Amino acid sequence: MTDDTIRVFLVDDHEIVRRGVAELLGNHRDLDVVGEASTVRDAIARVAATRPRIALLDVRLPDGSGVDLCRELLSADPDLSCIMLTAYDDEAAITAAVLAGASGYVLKDIGGSALVDAVRAVAGGRRLLSTTLAKRVSTSLAQEHRDDPRRETLGLRETQILALIADGLTNRQIGEHLGIAEKTVKNYVSSLLSKLGMQRRTQAAAYEAEARSRPRGSGRP
């Protein structure tokens, strides 16, 4: 294992699913499954001990919700990224996962190579929220965000960066696009998240996607 190896933790209550995913990921030199758990309780303890880069979480677990687990894990380790892996295309669960800060949501019928690509993409700072998914989440959040005064607190640069986050750009890519240092971008991201009352850039991306989806003139009277 090298410094470039992507450490992955699996959480699913079905042993056969964990074994299959572990074997799939283990066939790639840049991926290393560092731990597994079948419950929320075990996951919280083991993820803290193994410090993975990516956590693949089932949405439905015997002792709780994978979405709640996602929120708790990200609160404890902001450098972790979570991908929800589930058999259910549940709009409410998808929306909840986005708001909890998940970096992606994939169904268990995903192909093996696509799952590997998904893990690598999220490890590289990308989101796995398709345009269709973003629109579905946006519809659910539209009323909540309508006429939101928090947008007025954002400066010009923060507004630009928010838009680029929604486009799926990483901090490095945003810096290159705007001609500023990656560290400066990171500071702006922290500032805009604080002003919006959010913890994760995926939340900000969904928020901005909702704003884009509203018809012109549907905001403030």
Side-chain angles (χ1 to χ4, degrees):
M1 187 170 63
T2 69
D3 291 340
D4 294 329
T5 301
I6 302 170
R7 297 166 59 84
V8 183
F9 194 99
L10 308 178
V11 184
D12 195 294
D13 59 330
H14 294 96
E15 181 181 3
I16 191 169
V17 173
R18 297 198 309 274
R19 285 188 177 184
V21 174
E23 182 177 354
L24 170 68
L25 299 183
N27 289 329
H28 300 269
R29 292 184 178 182
D30 61 328
L31 304 178
D32 181 35
V33 177
V34 296
E36 301 177 18
S38 61
T39 65
V40 171
R41 181 178 179 179
D42 287 346
I44 291 173
R46 294 178 184 176
V47 168
T50 55
R51 298 189 63 80
R53 176 68 185 85
I54 302 292
L56 274 173
L57 311 177
D58 192 0
V59 171
R60 301 183 183 184
L61 296 168
D63 59 341
S65 164
V67 172
D68 291 336
L69 173 61
C70 171
R71 184 180 295 106
E72 185 161 351
L73 292 177
L74 295 178
S75 177
D77 182 5
D79 292 328
L80 176 69
S81 294
C82 295
I83 301 174
M84 310 309 296
L85 181 62
T86 179
Y88 304 96
D89 187 9
D90 184 331
E91 183 171 341
I94 294 174
T95 302
V98 172
L99 293 178
S103 296
Y105 191 106
V106 296
L107 298 179
K108 287 182 178 178
D109 62 1
I110 188 174
S113 60
L115 180 59
V116 170
D117 290 343
V119 171
R120 288 172 174 159
V122 170
R126 291 176 52 195
R127 298 180 302 123
L128 295 180
L129 302 175
S130 66
T131 301
T132 300
L133 173 54
K135 288 181 179 178
R136 289 171 61 184
V137 173
S138 296
T139 300
S140 299
L141 300 179
Q143 189 59 44
E144 178 183 343
H145 288 168
R146 199 176 297 278
D147 300 332
D148 192 339
R150 291 178 298 175
R151 296 189 70 90
E152 303 299 328
T153 68
L154 300 181
L156 175 60
R157 186 65 86 185
E158 290 168 337
T159 301
Q160 291 175 322
I161 291 175
L162 176 60
L164 294 173
I165 288 175
D167 289 338
L169 274 66
T170 65
N171 285 353
R172 177 176 297 180
Q173 292 169 332
I174 292 173
E176 293 173 351
H177 182 82
L178 297 178
I180 58 179
E182 183 177 356
K183 183 177 180 180
T184 302
V185 174
K186 185 176 181 179
N187 290 337
Y188 276 122
V189 172
S190 296
S191 175
L192 72 86
L193 289 178
S194 177
K195 290 180 179 180
L196 295 174
M198 300 173 182
Q199 295 182 331
R200 302 285 293 181
R201 61 191 295 131
T202 45
Q203 295 172 293
Y207 174 91
E208 176 64 11
E210 179 276 318
R212 294 178 180 180
S213 72
R214 291 200 303 263
R216 291 182 181 274
S218 64
R220 297 186 174 188

